Amino acid sequence: MDQDRVAEVFALGQASGPARALRGGSSGRVWDLHTSEGRWVVKTQAAPEDWRRSHMVRAHTLERAAYIAGLPMARPVTPPEPSVGFWHDIDGTHARVLEFVENAHPVVVDSAVEPGALAAWLGRTLASIEQLGVPGDLSDDASTPLHPLGDWREWISEARCSEAADTACELLPAVERSTALVQRAEAAGPDALLGHRDIGPANVLRSGSGFRLIDWDHAGPAVPWWEAVHTAFRFAGGLDDARATRPEVVRAVLAAHRAAGGAQGPADESALAGLLRATLGFTAYTLWLSLGHRGGDALDRARAAVRFRAAAGSLQRGVAALPEWCALLR
């Protein structure tokens, strides 16, 4: 990344030194940049395809509305025109900038964070996002397609010759059941709005002033009740180990969501459609990476295979735990 160009284009003052890479992946990188005007998080990625550009604009709509409404989050820096949402093309690389949240760290659910306070904050924040009322349409979202079973069978067949062979060969029953559940739930025509869609421990920062929700770049169409349920189970640990799901966390998040005016929905399997759809999407993505569909060398594919095994395990645990999880919603 050319930190001097980023600082110039986004009017951040003079760069104080080389930007420090925070993380990187197949789709982009994240940097910590110090300038004369402050400290910033810079995200960079290659020039986006048309569907991705549309997604950037849609995510910007929700993030901007949330910031104007005063939700606890990092301040996004408005780019110069021409822009794509909060992103700007700098010499062929797209970049966006946010103010760095000082003295803040991702929450550790099993740490000394009082779980009641976190659950109450999550429920209120979910309701606040919903009450922004930004329209969304589940049928118009190329960023998170529900892949046909024929595609899954093709990828799983290809994986038989890869490092992910053992996991892939056992995955199809969970894919079939979860895909059918999501299709039934969406066919019922639930009301959707734009939602954050990635509220997990890594995207909630804890600082001296409380919690903040970051990384709005995955925002898109969501059913508010489904997103509340998905978030509750992410923080309750169910996707990591269904047997260790903490019922008190699920109930506390959903109770706070309800008390703050969040929409409620059926307490049946359909409530878990958002969770399963997201887990299907991430499992497919990591499988593609492990097969080399997004480039990379042997080490990249091996790392992706590790992520794929974890994602596949989450999907299988979620499907197996559906009866017990539905009982926690009642």
Side-chain angles (χ1 to χ4, degrees):
M1 182 188 74
D2 186 338
Q3 65 268 4
D4 295 320
R5 284 285 289 140
V6 170
E8 175 190 359
V9 169
F10 283 86
L12 306 178
Q14 295 293 316
S16 303
R20 180 173 64 92
L22 295 177
R23 66 175 186 268
S26 61
S27 59
R29 303 193 70 177
V30 183
W31 308 82
D32 177 6
L33 174 63
H34 292 255
T35 74
S36 57
E37 298 296 322
R39 187 178 180 187
W40 317 93
V41 172
V42 180
K43 296 185 176 184
T44 59
Q45 66 171 49
E49 300 175 57
D50 288 345
W51 70 264
R52 179 64 178 161
R53 292 173 68 90
S54 297
H55 175 74
M56 288 172 165
V57 171
R58 183 161 43 197
H60 164 268
T61 302
L62 182 66
E63 185 174 357
R64 182 174 183 275
Y67 182 72
I68 291 172
L71 269 68
M73 56 194 289
R75 177 176 71 86
V77 177
T78 302
E81 295 296 338
S83 64
V84 184
F86 280 117
W87 296 81
H88 185 80
D89 184 352
I90 301 178
D91 306 325
T93 296
H94 276 63
R96 68 162 304 186
V97 177
L98 303 102
E99 189 172 42
F100 194 97
V101 180
E102 297 284 359
N103 302 315
H105 306 279
V107 296
V108 178
V109 178
D110 292 326
S111 72
V113 175
E114 206 286 300
L118 176 58
W121 181 88
L122 288 168
R124 290 194 305 271
T125 301
L126 284 158
S128 295
I129 295 171
E130 176 186 342
Q131 289 156 8
L132 295 172
V134 183
D137 182 353
L138 293 177
S139 67
D140 180 24
D141 183 23
S143 67
T144 57
L146 188 64
H147 300 290
L149 292 177
D151 289 353
W152 278 101
R153 293 189 182 101
E154 181 179 333
W155 301 330
I156 289 171
S157 177
E158 184 181 352
R160 290 194 177 100
C161 300
S162 75
E163 294 188 40
D166 53 344
T167 302
C169 291
E170 299 172 355
L171 184 61
L172 192 57
V175 169
E176 292 174 336
R177 186 176 178 192
S178 52
T179 299
L181 188 156
V182 172
Q183 289 173 331
R184 288 194 303 271
E186 293 186 352
D191 292 333
L193 297 168
L194 292 191
H196 184 283
R197 299 200 308 187
D198 195 15
I199 305 178
N203 287 333
V204 175
L205 299 183
R206 182 192 185 199
S207 67
S209 59
F211 302 107
R212 294 203 202 186
L213 179 58
I214 62 169
D215 200 355
W216 293 71
D217 292 314
H218 298 287
V223 176
W225 170 237
W226 297 357
E227 181 156 33
V229 171
H230 184 186
T231 301
F233 279 99
R234 285 186 75 173
F235 280 85
L239 289 173
D240 299 319
D241 183 351
R243 296 168 299 178
T245 303
R246 291 181 294 170
E248 71 279 6
V249 174
V250 174
R251 294 184 175 122
V253 171
L254 297 180
H257 176 252
R258 180 173 58 249
Q264 306 299 289
D268 58 23
E269 288 188 347
S270 69
L272 292 152
L275 180 155
L276 291 175
R277 196 186 216 284
T279 309
L280 277 166
F282 187 67
T283 303
Y285 175 67
T286 54
L287 178 56
W288 299 340
L289 293 179
S290 72
L291 296 174
H293 290 191
R294 297 294 179 91
D297 57 20
L299 180 57
D300 292 325
R301 294 193 296 275
R303 289 170 174 165
V306 173
R307 297 171 69 196
F308 166 66
R309 291 189 186 96
S314 293
L315 182 64
Q316 291 166 318
R317 284 190 291 271
V319 169
L322 284 172
E324 292 82 2
W325 286 0
C326 288
L328 296 180
L329 305 179
R330 303 185 183 109

